[in-house]
Amino acid sequence: MALFSSLTPVFVAVLCVIIGFIIKNSQKKDESRSKEKRSDGGKVRPWVDEDLQDDTEINSKDNEDDYECLETEDENNLHHIPYTPHQYSASEILERSEKFYSLMNLRRSVRFISPEPVPREVINNVILTAGTAPSGAHTEPWTFVVVTDADVKHKIREIVEEEEEINYKQRMGDKWVHDLKRLRTNWVKEYLDIAPYLILIFKQIHGVHPNGKKKTHYYNEISVSIACGILLAALQNVGLVTVTTTPLNCGPQLRALLQRPANEKLLMLLPVGYPTSDATVPDLKRKDLNDIMVNV
Ligand SMILES: Cc1cc2nc3c(=O)[nH]c(=O)nc-3n(C[C@H](O)[C@H](O)[C@H](O)COP(=O)(O)O)c2cc1C
């Protein structure tokens, strides 16, 4: 009895540790479960990349005091200058609109990319073109990382394939995998080694003022997505191909590999080059004008 009572404090202590361990473990499980769910009815949305922080609001974890408005005289006293672009005749604009549509209608996502070299200046020009995109309050919240180094490309392939295999087998779910089947995509991405260029587009969720304070990047995701669209058009214009990819859950690893700062989130990865001579694409049809346009 004496032995039992002298051991009681030890039992109580051990019991407390066990209970604490159980509570902590169940909290962890709740946390990971709630990561998979969103506020809209708690539906699982596996295509939402947690790292992307899709909202353009200031992150709730951020302190508003960390942010600062434009400060310098130059930034605040912006001159407004005349804008007089060339105006085409009615027949010219019709012809140009038809030609541009024909060009863009030939754009396809191509997953068979040739190693044939592409002049670097062309890549610089298409990125300059992407950088002409409009952006919320002209914040230009984009970073285009151009990778040509074979070792880095291979490391990117390893990261993407490892995560994509988990995505296909575990995260995406039967419906998504089924919907992709006809496109014949999977987690093997040879083009990541082969394409002469990989362009990784990061959205900057905020900027940084020279004094270290954060600068709000309004609508950064929409702005960068528009820039990506212009980049796709610029590539099409020079006869290069790519496939729009959004490597789910690869952002943090790729950001670390490419030594990008924490305010940059991977939005898109574009392998760029010429198509192989035996490239194929799924025979998809596009919607008619009447199916995409509403006249009011
Ligand atoms: C946001 C977005 C993400 C995409 N992600 C992938 C991807 O991860 N892998 C892939 O092979 N294709 C991806 N695609 C390409 C689509 O499958 C392709 O655009 C669609 O099948 C239509 O084909 P098209 O681009 O040839 O017109 C993506 C496209 C978009 C717009």
mmCIF file of all heavy atoms in Angstrom, residues 148-195:
data_model
loop_
_atom_site.group_PDB
_atom_site.id
_atom_site.type_symbol
_atom_site.label_atom_id
_atom_site.label_comp_id
_atom_site.label_asym_id
_atom_site.label_seq_id
_atom_site.Cartn_x
_atom_site.Cartn_y
_atom_site.Cartn_z
ATOM 1 N N THR A 148 17.746 27.063 -67.772
ATOM 2 C CA THR A 148 18.370 26.380 -68.914
ATOM 3 C C THR A 148 19.364 25.323 -68.436
ATOM 4 O O THR A 148 19.726 24.427 -69.192
ATOM 5 C CB THR A 148 19.140 27.384 -69.807
ATOM 6 O OG1 THR A 148 20.031 28.127 -68.966
ATOM 7 C CG2 THR A 148 18.203 28.338 -70.515
ATOM 8 N N ASP A 149 19.810 25.420 -67.183
ATOM 9 C CA ASP A 149 20.808 24.509 -66.638
ATOM 10 C C ASP A 149 20.227 23.078 -66.545
ATOM 11 O O ASP A 149 19.172 22.870 -65.933
ATOM 12 C CB ASP A 149 21.212 25.019 -65.244
ATOM 13 C CG ASP A 149 22.309 24.178 -64.641
ATOM 14 O OD1 ASP A 149 21.998 23.076 -64.119
ATOM 15 O OD2 ASP A 149 23.469 24.590 -64.720
ATOM 16 N N ALA A 150 20.958 22.128 -67.172
ATOM 17 C CA ALA A 150 20.437 20.749 -67.254
ATOM 18 C C ALA A 150 20.231 20.130 -65.860
ATOM 19 O O ALA A 150 19.246 19.420 -65.629
ATOM 20 C CB ALA A 150 21.387 19.895 -68.076
ATOM 21 N N ASP A 151 21.160 20.403 -64.939
ATOM 22 C CA ASP A 151 21.026 19.809 -63.596
ATOM 23 C C ASP A 151 19.804 20.365 -62.877
ATOM 24 O O ASP A 151 19.070 19.633 -62.211
ATOM 25 C CB ASP A 151 22.272 20.114 -62.739
ATOM 26 C CG ASP A 151 23.466 19.328 -63.229
ATOM 27 O OD1 ASP A 151 23.248 18.319 -63.934
ATOM 28 O OD2 ASP A 151 24.607 19.736 -62.928
ATOM 29 N N VAL A 152 19.609 21.679 -63.005
ATOM 30 C CA VAL A 152 18.456 22.296 -62.332
ATOM 31 C C VAL A 152 17.155 21.779 -62.961
ATOM 32 O O VAL A 152 16.194 21.460 -62.255
ATOM 33 C CB VAL A 152 18.527 23.848 -62.378
ATOM 34 C CG1 VAL A 152 17.319 24.469 -61.682
ATOM 35 C CG2 VAL A 152 19.818 24.339 -61.742
ATOM 36 N N LYS A 153 17.159 21.669 -64.291
ATOM 37 C CA LYS A 153 15.952 21.136 -64.954
ATOM 38 C C LYS A 153 15.649 19.735 -64.424
ATOM 39 O O LYS A 153 14.492 19.394 -64.160
ATOM 40 C CB LYS A 153 16.153 21.095 -66.484
ATOM 41 C CG LYS A 153 16.027 22.451 -67.147
ATOM 42 C CD LYS A 153 15.806 22.334 -68.645
ATOM 43 C CE LYS A 153 17.098 22.141 -69.381
ATOM 44 N NZ LYS A 153 16.955 22.079 -70.828
ATOM 45 N N HIS A 154 16.708 18.935 -64.275
ATOM 46 C CA HIS A 154 16.482 17.557 -63.810
ATOM 47 C C HIS A 154 15.962 17.534 -62.366
ATOM 48 O O HIS A 154 15.065 16.749 -62.036
ATOM 49 C CB HIS A 154 17.757 16.732 -63.934
ATOM 50 C CG HIS A 154 17.494 15.280 -63.697
ATOM 51 N ND1 HIS A 154 16.704 14.522 -64.537
ATOM 52 C CD2 HIS A 154 17.854 14.460 -62.680
ATOM 53 C CE1 HIS A 154 16.597 13.298 -64.062
ATOM 54 N NE2 HIS A 154 17.281 13.222 -62.934
ATOM 55 N N LYS A 155 16.503 18.437 -61.537
ATOM 56 C CA LYS A 155 16.005 18.496 -60.141
ATOM 57 C C LYS A 155 14.527 18.905 -60.135
ATOM 58 O O LYS A 155 13.730 18.408 -59.337
ATOM 59 C CB LYS A 155 16.839 19.481 -59.316
ATOM 60 C CG LYS A 155 18.160 18.885 -58.866
ATOM 61 C CD LYS A 155 18.927 19.833 -57.966
ATOM 62 C CE LYS A 155 20.303 19.255 -57.685
ATOM 63 N NZ LYS A 155 21.387 20.240 -57.800
ATOM 64 N N ILE A 156 14.182 19.848 -61.020
ATOM 65 C CA ILE A 156 12.774 20.265 -61.124
ATOM 66 C C ILE A 156 11.919 19.061 -61.532
ATOM 67 O O ILE A 156 10.863 18.806 -60.951
ATOM 68 C CB ILE A 156 12.622 21.419 -62.155
ATOM 69 C CG1 ILE A 156 13.276 22.686 -61.609
ATOM 70 C CG2 ILE A 156 11.151 21.672 -62.501
ATOM 71 C CD1 ILE A 156 13.333 23.855 -62.577
ATOM 72 N N ARG A 157 12.420 18.295 -62.486
ATOM 73 C CA ARG A 157 11.660 17.113 -62.936
ATOM 74 C C ARG A 157 11.454 16.136 -61.767
ATOM 75 O O ARG A 157 10.348 15.613 -61.581
ATOM 76 C CB ARG A 157 12.412 16.416 -64.078
ATOM 77 C CG ARG A 157 11.677 15.183 -64.551
ATOM 78 C CD ARG A 157 12.347 14.508 -65.725
ATOM 79 N NE ARG A 157 11.626 13.275 -66.047
ATOM 80 C CZ ARG A 157 11.959 12.434 -67.005
ATOM 81 N NH1 ARG A 157 13.014 12.698 -67.756
ATOM 82 N NH2 ARG A 157 11.261 11.337 -67.211
ATOM 83 N N GLU A 158 12.527 15.919 -60.993
ATOM 84 C CA GLU A 158 12.415 14.974 -59.865
ATOM 85 C C GLU A 158 11.353 15.444 -58.868
ATOM 86 O O GLU A 158 10.516 14.667 -58.415
ATOM 87 C CB GLU A 158 13.768 14.824 -59.157
ATOM 88 C CG GLU A 158 14.733 13.977 -59.946
ATOM 89 C CD GLU A 158 16.114 13.889 -59.297
ATOM 90 O OE1 GLU A 158 16.448 14.738 -58.440
ATOM 91 O OE2 GLU A 158 16.858 12.973 -59.658
ATOM 92 N N ILE A 159 11.391 16.746 -58.547
ATOM 93 C CA ILE A 159 10.412 17.287 -57.580
ATOM 94 C C ILE A 159 8.994 17.143 -58.130
ATOM 95 O O ILE A 159 8.084 16.667 -57.454
ATOM 96 C CB ILE A 159 10.728 18.779 -57.272
ATOM 97 C CG1 ILE A 159 12.021 18.898 -56.470
ATOM 98 C CG2 ILE A 159 9.560 19.443 -56.526
ATOM 99 C CD1 ILE A 159 12.547 20.327 -56.328
ATOM 100 N N VAL A 160 8.818 17.561 -59.388
ATOM 101 C CA VAL A 160 7.466 17.560 -59.969
ATOM 102 C C VAL A 160 6.949 16.134 -60.103
ATOM 103 O O VAL A 160 5.802 15.845 -59.743
ATOM 104 C CB VAL A 160 7.465 18.287 -61.338
ATOM 105 C CG1 VAL A 160 6.127 18.111 -62.034
ATOM 106 C CG2 VAL A 160 7.764 19.775 -61.148
ATOM 107 N N GLU A 161 7.788 15.224 -60.592
ATOM 108 C CA GLU A 161 7.302 13.845 -60.798
ATOM 109 C C GLU A 161 6.955 13.178 -59.466
ATOM 110 O O GLU A 161 5.955 12.474 -59.366
ATOM 111 C CB GLU A 161 8.339 13.028 -61.565
ATOM 112 C CG GLU A 161 8.379 13.427 -63.042
ATOM 113 C CD GLU A 161 9.223 12.488 -63.905
ATOM 114 O OE1 GLU A 161 10.046 11.728 -63.342
ATOM 115 O OE2 GLU A 161 9.047 12.525 -65.139
ATOM 116 N N GLU A 162 7.785 13.445 -58.452
ATOM 117 C CA GLU A 162 7.511 12.821 -57.145
ATOM 118 C C GLU A 162 6.164 13.297 -56.592
ATOM 119 O O GLU A 162 5.326 12.507 -56.160
ATOM 120 C CB GLU A 162 8.632 13.162 -56.154
ATOM 121 C CG GLU A 162 8.538 12.336 -54.891
ATOM 122 C CD GLU A 162 9.662 12.676 -53.907
ATOM 123 O OE1 GLU A 162 10.792 12.940 -54.357
ATOM 124 O OE2 GLU A 162 9.381 12.691 -52.700
ATOM 125 N N GLU A 163 5.942 14.628 -56.672
ATOM 126 C CA GLU A 163 4.676 15.172 -56.144
ATOM 127 C C GLU A 163 3.489 14.771 -57.025
ATOM 128 O O GLU A 163 2.420 14.449 -56.522
ATOM 129 C CB GLU A 163 4.742 16.702 -56.063
ATOM 130 C CG GLU A 163 5.543 17.242 -54.893
ATOM 131 C CD GLU A 163 4.985 16.870 -53.528
ATOM 132 O OE1 GLU A 163 3.754 16.801 -53.369
ATOM 133 O OE2 GLU A 163 5.795 16.623 -52.613
ATOM 134 N N GLU A 164 3.708 14.813 -58.350
ATOM 135 C CA GLU A 164 2.609 14.493 -59.270
ATOM 136 C C GLU A 164 2.165 13.036 -59.126
ATOM 137 O O GLU A 164 0.988 12.732 -59.260
ATOM 138 C CB GLU A 164 3.009 14.788 -60.722
ATOM 139 C CG GLU A 164 3.002 16.267 -61.066
ATOM 140 C CD GLU A 164 1.602 16.815 -61.319
ATOM 141 O OE1 GLU A 164 0.918 17.150 -60.322
ATOM 142 O OE2 GLU A 164 1.215 16.925 -62.480
ATOM 143 N N GLU A 165 3.119 12.142 -58.836
ATOM 144 C CA GLU A 165 2.727 10.738 -58.652
ATOM 145 C C GLU A 165 1.789 10.631 -57.440
ATOM 146 O O GLU A 165 0.764 9.950 -57.492
ATOM 147 C CB GLU A 165 3.957 9.847 -58.467
ATOM 148 C CG GLU A 165 3.563 8.380 -58.398
ATOM 149 C CD GLU A 165 4.747 7.416 -58.489
ATOM 150 O OE1 GLU A 165 5.898 7.867 -58.597
ATOM 151 O OE2 GLU A 165 4.484 6.197 -58.444
ATOM 152 N N ILE A 166 2.124 11.366 -56.379
ATOM 153 C CA ILE A 166 1.237 11.361 -55.195
ATOM 154 C C ILE A 166 -0.096 12.020 -55.553
ATOM 155 O O ILE A 166 -1.162 11.554 -55.173
ATOM 156 C CB ILE A 166 1.899 12.099 -54.001
ATOM 157 C CG1 ILE A 166 3.244 11.466 -53.660
ATOM 158 C CG2 ILE A 166 0.984 12.078 -52.775
ATOM 159 C CD1 ILE A 166 4.073 12.257 -52.647
ATOM 160 N N ASN A 167 -0.021 13.147 -56.340
ATOM 161 C CA ASN A 167 -1.259 13.826 -56.747
ATOM 162 C C ASN A 167 -2.181 12.855 -57.477
ATOM 163 O O ASN A 167 -3.357 12.745 -57.149
ATOM 164 C CB ASN A 167 -0.949 15.010 -57.675
ATOM 165 C CG ASN A 167 -0.237 16.145 -56.952
ATOM 166 O OD1 ASN A 167 -0.335 16.270 -55.732
ATOM 167 N ND2 ASN A 167 0.489 16.963 -57.689
ATOM 168 N N TYR A 168 -1.636 12.195 -58.486
ATOM 169 C CA TYR A 168 -2.460 11.286 -59.296
ATOM 170 C C TYR A 168 -2.982 10.116 -58.470
ATOM 171 O O TYR A 168 -4.124 9.705 -58.616
ATOM 172 C CB TYR A 168 -1.660 10.748 -60.492
ATOM 173 C CG TYR A 168 -1.733 11.639 -61.707
ATOM 174 C CD1 TYR A 168 -0.895 12.752 -61.832
ATOM 175 C CD2 TYR A 168 -2.626 11.391 -62.736
ATOM 176 C CE1 TYR A 168 -0.946 13.580 -62.942
ATOM 177 C CE2 TYR A 168 -2.694 12.216 -63.851
ATOM 178 C CZ TYR A 168 -1.852 13.313 -63.953
ATOM 179 O OH TYR A 168 -1.917 14.137 -65.049
ATOM 180 N N LYS A 169 -2.111 9.550 -57.602
ATOM 181 C CA LYS A 169 -2.507 8.319 -56.895
ATOM 182 C C LYS A 169 -3.320 8.581 -55.633
ATOM 183 O O LYS A 169 -4.088 7.733 -55.207
ATOM 184 C CB LYS A 169 -1.261 7.507 -56.536
ATOM 185 C CG LYS A 169 -0.587 6.883 -57.757
ATOM 186 C CD LYS A 169 0.594 6.040 -57.340
ATOM 187 C CE LYS A 169 1.176 5.297 -58.544
ATOM 188 N NZ LYS A 169 2.459 4.685 -58.228
ATOM 189 N N GLN A 170 -3.115 9.755 -55.014
ATOM 190 C CA GLN A 170 -3.776 9.968 -53.719
ATOM 191 C C GLN A 170 -4.600 11.253 -53.639
ATOM 192 O O GLN A 170 -5.715 11.251 -53.144
ATOM 193 C CB GLN A 170 -2.726 10.001 -52.595
ATOM 194 C CG GLN A 170 -2.030 8.676 -52.397
ATOM 195 C CD GLN A 170 -0.844 8.800 -51.447
ATOM 196 O OE1 GLN A 170 -0.801 9.688 -50.601
ATOM 197 N NE2 GLN A 170 0.127 7.929 -51.594
ATOM 198 N N ARG A 171 -4.043 12.377 -54.115
ATOM 199 C CA ARG A 171 -4.677 13.664 -53.795
ATOM 200 C C ARG A 171 -5.820 14.010 -54.740
ATOM 201 O O ARG A 171 -6.812 14.600 -54.335
ATOM 202 C CB ARG A 171 -3.649 14.794 -53.848
ATOM 203 C CG ARG A 171 -2.531 14.661 -52.824
ATOM 204 C CD ARG A 171 -1.665 15.920 -52.816
ATOM 205 N NE ARG A 171 -0.508 15.768 -51.960
ATOM 206 C CZ ARG A 171 0.749 15.845 -52.397
ATOM 207 N NH1 ARG A 171 1.004 16.092 -53.667
ATOM 208 N NH2 ARG A 171 1.755 15.693 -51.553
ATOM 209 N N MET A 172 -5.668 13.697 -56.026
ATOM 210 C CA MET A 172 -6.612 14.225 -57.014
ATOM 211 C C MET A 172 -7.981 13.542 -56.969
ATOM 212 O O MET A 172 -8.997 14.165 -57.288
ATOM 213 C CB MET A 172 -6.008 14.121 -58.419
ATOM 214 C CG MET A 172 -4.930 15.169 -58.648
ATOM 215 S SD MET A 172 -3.709 14.812 -59.924
ATOM 216 C CE MET A 172 -4.682 14.470 -61.326
ATOM 217 N N GLY A 173 -8.002 12.290 -56.615
ATOM 218 C CA GLY A 173 -9.284 11.586 -56.539
ATOM 219 C C GLY A 173 -9.687 11.017 -57.895
ATOM 220 O O GLY A 173 -9.223 11.474 -58.947
ATOM 221 N N ASP A 174 -10.610 10.035 -57.850
ATOM 222 C CA ASP A 174 -10.983 9.276 -59.054
ATOM 223 C C ASP A 174 -11.547 10.161 -60.159
ATOM 224 O O ASP A 174 -11.249 9.981 -61.330
ATOM 225 C CB ASP A 174 -12.037 8.211 -58.702
ATOM 226 C CG ASP A 174 -11.426 7.145 -57.820
ATOM 227 O OD1 ASP A 174 -10.179 7.082 -57.775
ATOM 228 O OD2 ASP A 174 -12.184 6.398 -57.179
ATOM 229 N N LYS A 175 -12.390 11.154 -59.761
ATOM 230 C CA LYS A 175 -13.084 11.959 -60.779
ATOM 231 C C LYS A 175 -12.072 12.749 -61.626
ATOM 232 O O LYS A 175 -12.123 12.743 -62.848
ATOM 233 C CB LYS A 175 -14.070 12.909 -60.097
ATOM 234 C CG LYS A 175 -14.928 13.665 -61.075
ATOM 235 C CD LYS A 175 -15.904 14.588 -60.378
ATOM 236 C CE LYS A 175 -16.615 15.473 -61.374
ATOM 237 N NZ LYS A 175 -15.696 16.350 -62.102
ATOM 238 N N TRP A 176 -11.153 13.420 -60.927
ATOM 239 C CA TRP A 176 -10.164 14.250 -61.628
ATOM 240 C C TRP A 176 -9.286 13.378 -62.529
ATOM 241 O O TRP A 176 -9.046 13.704 -63.699
ATOM 242 C CB TRP A 176 -9.316 15.002 -60.595
ATOM 243 C CG TRP A 176 -8.497 16.121 -61.159
ATOM 244 C CD1 TRP A 176 -8.390 16.501 -62.472
ATOM 245 C CD2 TRP A 176 -7.663 17.010 -60.414
ATOM 246 N NE1 TRP A 176 -7.543 17.567 -62.595
ATOM 247 C CE2 TRP A 176 -7.080 17.903 -61.357
ATOM 248 C CE3 TRP A 176 -7.348 17.152 -59.064
ATOM 249 C CZ2 TRP A 176 -6.196 18.907 -60.968
ATOM 250 C CZ3 TRP A 176 -6.467 18.157 -58.680
ATOM 251 C CH2 TRP A 176 -5.905 19.034 -59.619
ATOM 252 N N VAL A 177 -8.800 12.257 -61.981
ATOM 253 C CA VAL A 177 -7.939 11.361 -62.762
ATOM 254 C C VAL A 177 -8.708 10.857 -63.983
ATOM 255 O O VAL A 177 -8.179 10.808 -65.096
ATOM 256 C CB VAL A 177 -7.430 10.190 -61.883
ATOM 257 C CG1 VAL A 177 -6.701 9.152 -62.731
ATOM 258 C CG2 VAL A 177 -6.508 10.719 -60.775
ATOM 259 N N HIS A 178 -9.992 10.538 -63.776
ATOM 260 C CA HIS A 178 -10.835 10.072 -64.897
ATOM 261 C C HIS A 178 -10.963 11.158 -65.965
ATOM 262 O O HIS A 178 -10.841 10.897 -67.165
ATOM 263 C CB HIS A 178 -12.216 9.666 -64.360
ATOM 264 C CG HIS A 178 -13.180 9.306 -65.432
ATOM 265 N ND1 HIS A 178 -14.069 10.216 -65.969
ATOM 266 C CD2 HIS A 178 -13.370 8.160 -66.115
ATOM 267 C CE1 HIS A 178 -14.756 9.636 -66.921
ATOM 268 N NE2 HIS A 178 -14.363 8.386 -67.025
ATOM 269 N N ASP A 179 -11.206 12.407 -65.534
ATOM 270 C CA ASP A 179 -11.374 13.519 -66.484
ATOM 271 C C ASP A 179 -10.103 13.768 -67.310
ATOM 272 O O ASP A 179 -10.163 14.287 -68.419
ATOM 273 C CB ASP A 179 -11.761 14.811 -65.742
ATOM 274 C CG ASP A 179 -13.206 14.757 -65.244
ATOM 275 O OD1 ASP A 179 -13.939 13.829 -65.650
ATOM 276 O OD2 ASP A 179 -13.596 15.626 -64.430
ATOM 277 N N LEU A 180 -8.937 13.434 -66.724
ATOM 278 C CA LEU A 180 -7.666 13.689 -67.425
ATOM 279 C C LEU A 180 -7.270 12.553 -68.364
ATOM 280 O O LEU A 180 -6.394 12.726 -69.216
ATOM 281 C CB LEU A 180 -6.543 13.901 -66.404
ATOM 282 C CG LEU A 180 -6.501 15.251 -65.694
ATOM 283 C CD1 LEU A 180 -5.384 15.268 -64.663
ATOM 284 C CD2 LEU A 180 -6.294 16.395 -66.698
ATOM 285 N N LYS A 181 -7.937 11.398 -68.199
ATOM 286 C CA LYS A 181 -7.504 10.185 -68.912
ATOM 287 C C LYS A 181 -7.428 10.405 -70.424
ATOM 288 O O LYS A 181 -6.461 10.023 -71.075
ATOM 289 C CB LYS A 181 -8.483 9.043 -68.592
ATOM 290 C CG LYS A 181 -7.839 7.697 -68.718
ATOM 291 C CD LYS A 181 -8.723 6.634 -68.154
ATOM 292 C CE LYS A 181 -8.039 5.277 -68.341
ATOM 293 N NZ LYS A 181 -8.871 4.194 -67.909
ATOM 294 N N ARG A 182 -8.435 11.085 -70.976
ATOM 295 C CA ARG A 182 -8.483 11.257 -72.435
ATOM 296 C C ARG A 182 -7.368 12.166 -72.942
ATOM 297 O O ARG A 182 -7.044 12.178 -74.125
ATOM 298 C CB ARG A 182 -9.861 11.765 -72.870
ATOM 299 C CG ARG A 182 -10.164 13.152 -72.380
ATOM 300 C CD ARG A 182 -11.604 13.535 -72.522
ATOM 301 N NE ARG A 182 -11.742 14.956 -72.281
ATOM 302 C CZ ARG A 182 -12.234 15.820 -73.150
ATOM 303 N NH1 ARG A 182 -12.689 15.403 -74.308
ATOM 304 N NH2 ARG A 182 -12.307 17.097 -72.861
ATOM 305 N N LEU A 183 -6.756 12.969 -72.037
ATOM 306 C CA LEU A 183 -5.642 13.838 -72.456
ATOM 307 C C LEU A 183 -4.309 13.089 -72.409
ATOM 308 O O LEU A 183 -3.274 13.598 -72.831
ATOM 309 C CB LEU A 183 -5.567 15.085 -71.559
ATOM 310 C CG LEU A 183 -6.810 15.976 -71.528
ATOM 311 C CD1 LEU A 183 -6.567 17.174 -70.609
ATOM 312 C CD2 LEU A 183 -7.191 16.471 -72.922
ATOM 313 N N ARG A 184 -4.350 11.870 -71.852
ATOM 314 C CA ARG A 184 -3.157 11.002 -71.722
ATOM 315 C C ARG A 184 -2.031 11.699 -70.969
ATOM 316 O O ARG A 184 -0.867 11.668 -71.377
ATOM 317 C CB ARG A 184 -2.650 10.536 -73.101
ATOM 318 C CG ARG A 184 -3.682 9.720 -73.835
ATOM 319 C CD ARG A 184 -3.060 9.033 -75.054
ATOM 320 N NE ARG A 184 -4.095 8.624 -75.978
ATOM 321 C CZ ARG A 184 -3.937 8.442 -77.277
ATOM 322 N NH1 ARG A 184 -2.752 8.605 -77.823
ATOM 323 N NH2 ARG A 184 -4.934 8.068 -78.035
ATOM 324 N N THR A 185 -2.383 12.382 -69.901
ATOM 325 C CA THR A 185 -1.339 12.981 -69.063
ATOM 326 C C THR A 185 -1.106 12.064 -67.869
ATOM 327 O O THR A 185 -2.005 11.334 -67.458
ATOM 328 C CB THR A 185 -1.761 14.374 -68.538
ATOM 329 O OG1 THR A 185 -2.916 14.214 -67.713
ATOM 330 C CG2 THR A 185 -2.079 15.324 -69.658
ATOM 331 N N ASN A 186 0.102 12.086 -67.344
ATOM 332 C CA ASN A 186 0.378 11.388 -66.088
ATOM 333 C C ASN A 186 1.526 12.112 -65.386
ATOM 334 O O ASN A 186 1.853 13.233 -65.741
ATOM 335 C CB ASN A 186 0.658 9.904 -66.312
ATOM 336 C CG ASN A 186 1.875 9.694 -67.196
ATOM 337 O OD1 ASN A 186 2.771 10.533 -67.234
ATOM 338 N ND2 ASN A 186 1.901 8.606 -67.929
ATOM 339 N N TRP A 187 2.133 11.454 -64.417
ATOM 340 C CA TRP A 187 3.154 12.154 -63.626
ATOM 341 C C TRP A 187 4.541 12.108 -64.260
ATOM 342 O O TRP A 187 5.467 12.715 -63.748
ATOM 343 C CB TRP A 187 3.203 11.606 -62.194
ATOM 344 C CG TRP A 187 3.482 10.126 -62.128
ATOM 345 C CD1 TRP A 187 4.706 9.529 -62.098
ATOM 346 C CD2 TRP A 187 2.510 9.080 -62.093
ATOM 347 N NE1 TRP A 187 4.557 8.167 -62.052
ATOM 348 C CE2 TRP A 187 3.221 7.864 -62.044
ATOM 349 C CE3 TRP A 187 1.117 9.062 -62.092
ATOM 350 C CZ2 TRP A 187 2.577 6.631 -61.993
ATOM 351 C CZ3 TRP A 187 0.474 7.834 -62.051
ATOM 352 C CH2 TRP A 187 1.190 6.633 -62.002
ATOM 353 N N VAL A 188 4.690 11.384 -65.373
ATOM 354 C CA VAL A 188 6.009 11.331 -66.030
ATOM 355 C C VAL A 188 6.114 12.535 -66.964
ATOM 356 O O VAL A 188 5.273 12.718 -67.851
ATOM 357 C CB VAL A 188 6.182 10.011 -66.813
ATOM 358 C CG1 VAL A 188 7.561 9.970 -67.475
ATOM 359 C CG2 VAL A 188 5.985 8.824 -65.883
ATOM 360 N N LYS A 189 7.122 13.376 -66.750
ATOM 361 C CA LYS A 189 7.208 14.650 -67.491
ATOM 362 C C LYS A 189 8.602 14.770 -68.127
ATOM 363 O O LYS A 189 9.452 15.544 -67.660
ATOM 364 C CB LYS A 189 6.999 15.850 -66.546
ATOM 365 C CG LYS A 189 5.860 15.657 -65.534
ATOM 366 C CD LYS A 189 4.617 16.369 -65.942
ATOM 367 C CE LYS A 189 3.498 16.103 -64.959
ATOM 368 N NZ LYS A 189 2.191 16.124 -65.546
ATOM 369 N N GLU A 190 8.811 13.993 -69.203
ATOM 370 C CA GLU A 190 10.120 14.016 -69.870
ATOM 371 C C GLU A 190 10.490 15.418 -70.346
ATOM 372 O O GLU A 190 11.656 15.798 -70.355
ATOM 373 C CB GLU A 190 10.105 13.060 -71.068
ATOM 374 C CG GLU A 190 10.369 11.631 -70.658
ATOM 375 C CD GLU A 190 9.922 10.648 -71.721
ATOM 376 O OE1 GLU A 190 9.350 11.060 -72.739
ATOM 377 O OE2 GLU A 190 10.127 9.438 -71.483
ATOM 378 N N TYR A 191 9.464 16.170 -70.746
ATOM 379 C CA TYR A 191 9.753 17.497 -71.301
ATOM 380 C C TYR A 191 10.504 18.393 -70.317
ATOM 381 O O TYR A 191 11.148 19.344 -70.719
ATOM 382 C CB TYR A 191 8.475 18.173 -71.823
ATOM 383 C CG TYR A 191 7.328 18.264 -70.830
ATOM 384 C CD1 TYR A 191 7.399 19.093 -69.722
ATOM 385 C CD2 TYR A 191 6.160 17.532 -71.018
ATOM 386 C CE1 TYR A 191 6.344 19.188 -68.833
ATOM 387 C CE2 TYR A 191 5.102 17.619 -70.128
ATOM 388 C CZ TYR A 191 5.195 18.442 -69.030
ATOM 389 O OH TYR A 191 4.158 18.535 -68.130
ATOM 390 N N LEU A 192 10.450 18.064 -69.039
ATOM 391 C CA LEU A 192 11.142 18.924 -68.062
ATOM 392 C C LEU A 192 12.672 18.803 -68.200
ATOM 393 O O LEU A 192 13.405 19.719 -67.862
ATOM 394 C CB LEU A 192 10.704 18.580 -66.637
ATOM 395 C CG LEU A 192 9.240 18.924 -66.313
ATOM 396 C CD1 LEU A 192 8.878 18.443 -64.916
ATOM 397 C CD2 LEU A 192 8.976 20.420 -66.442
ATOM 398 N N ASP A 193 13.144 17.647 -68.702
ATOM 399 C CA ASP A 193 14.569 17.493 -68.991
ATOM 400 C C ASP A 193 14.906 18.006 -70.386
ATOM 401 O O ASP A 193 15.981 18.547 -70.612
ATOM 402 C CB ASP A 193 14.948 15.997 -68.964
ATOM 403 C CG ASP A 193 15.393 15.526 -67.586
ATOM 404 O OD1 ASP A 193 16.001 16.330 -66.862
ATOM 405 O OD2 ASP A 193 15.117 14.357 -67.245
ATOM 406 N N ILE A 194 13.964 17.804 -71.299
ATOM 407 C CA ILE A 194 14.273 17.978 -72.723
ATOM 408 C C ILE A 194 14.102 19.410 -73.239
ATOM 409 O O ILE A 194 14.915 19.900 -74.020
ATOM 410 C CB ILE A 194 13.396 17.012 -73.565
ATOM 411 C CG1 ILE A 194 13.792 15.563 -73.216
ATOM 412 C CG2 ILE A 194 13.551 17.273 -75.054
ATOM 413 C CD1 ILE A 194 12.871 14.516 -73.793
ATOM 414 N N ALA A 195 13.042 20.086 -72.803
ATOM 415 C CA ALA A 195 12.765 21.437 -73.335
ATOM 416 C C ALA A 195 13.967 22.350 -73.086
ATOM 417 O O ALA A 195 14.554 22.327 -72.001
ATOM 418 C CB ALA A 195 11.524 22.012 -72.668
#
